[in-house]
Amino acid sequence: MAKALIIVDVQNDFCEGGSLAVTGGADLATEITELLSEATDFDFIVATQDWHIDPGTHFSETPDYVTSWPVHCVAGSKGAALHRNLDTEDIDAYFRKGKFDAAYSGFDGLLAPEDEVAVGEREAHESVDEDGDAPTSLDDWLRENDVDDVVIVGIATDHCVRATALDAINAGYNTTVLRDYVAGVDDDASEEALEELEDAGVELK
């Protein structure tokens, strides 16, 4: 029975200075780094990334900030890289999502190639690996590593954190969201999202 920390979308475009910045994103990256230095009970640490190539109506020149958004986290761009305040040394795997759709949940993510650096420019992940097999999903990877418990932190509370936590609990994982280690787009919507998660069986700490 193993426990994994899932770090959701702590990327440059979601932090101050990015194209879709969340207030407090850079500070949150620092706080998660401090959590990583103190925590001893995680068997695995994984990170998710928005990794958009052509996500259709998810990108808009006139976004409604509900289902459509400004261009962000384009695959291989600086904006898609993990924020420099996040220490990636102990991250075991990276999962990219949203190449051709919105993909809010980390469980839509596919495993990134092992030989690629944790931050900076990357090539877009192919639909099959070099052996011709389908790429590994986050759910596949967690199950292969006998993970039963997941703890979720990251950006944004009311969007990708919410979606990832709902998918985790629906997939049968014991799921926890750390309230002090998430940041949201909208304060009211974030509180509503946390209430929804608690009602769904997610533990809030």
Side-chain angles (χ1 to χ4, degrees):
M1 189 172 180
K3 179 188 288 189
L5 178 69
I6 302 174
I7 303 170
V8 176
D9 297 2
V10 182
Q11 296 167 265
N12 288 328
D13 271 347
F14 296 139
C15 297
E16 288 80 355
S19 65
L20 195 52
V22 171
T23 301
D27 287 341
L28 178 63
T30 300
E31 291 162 3
I32 293 173
T33 290
E34 293 171 357
L35 173 67
L36 295 177
S37 69
E38 298 167 357
T40 58
D41 61 338
F42 296 120
D43 300 288
F44 301 101
I45 300 169
V46 302
T48 71
Q49 291 173 284
D50 261 13
W51 200 256
H52 296 306
I53 296 174
D54 182 10
T57 57
H58 187 61
F59 284 174
S60 174
E61 293 182 0
T62 56
D64 62 14
Y65 295 91
V66 179
T67 60
S68 61
W69 306 88
V71 174
H72 61 276
C73 297
V74 172
S77 70
K78 181 179 179 181
L82 298 175
H83 195 275
R84 64 181 180 276
N85 292 359
L86 178 65
D87 185 354
T88 61
E89 181 179 0
D90 294 323
I91 295 177
D92 297 294
Y94 302 85
F95 293 85
R96 300 174 182 156
K97 56 190 174 67
K99 287 173 66 175
F100 302 108
D101 54 15
Y104 292 96
S105 172
F107 283 83
D108 294 325
L110 301 176
L111 182 65
E114 290 184 6
D115 60 349
E116 294 188 3
V117 296
V119 295
E121 293 188 0
R122 306 182 182 191
E123 296 299 321
H125 191 43
E126 299 299 327
S127 60
V128 295
D129 64 22
E130 58 188 23
D131 296 320
D133 298 322
T136 302
S137 70
L138 174 57
D139 187 47
D140 292 338
W141 193 91
L142 293 172
R143 295 189 189 283
E144 287 170 6
N145 286 285
D146 298 321
V147 172
D148 295 303
D149 298 334
V150 297
V151 177
I152 298 170
V153 299
I155 303 171
T157 313
D158 40 343
H159 294 283
C160 294
V161 168
R162 169 188 172 275
T164 302
L166 286 175
D167 277 357
I169 199 77
N170 288 334
Y173 296 95
N174 301 315
T175 306
T176 302
V177 170
L178 301 183
R179 297 183 64 118
D180 292 340
Y181 295 91
V182 293
V185 174
D186 178 85
D187 290 343
D188 290 340
S190 293
E191 282 303 315
E192 290 174 4
L194 291 173
E195 291 173 5
E196 178 186 7
L197 293 178
E198 191 167 34
D199 289 343
V202 175
E203 184 176 3
L204 303 181
K205 284 189 176 179

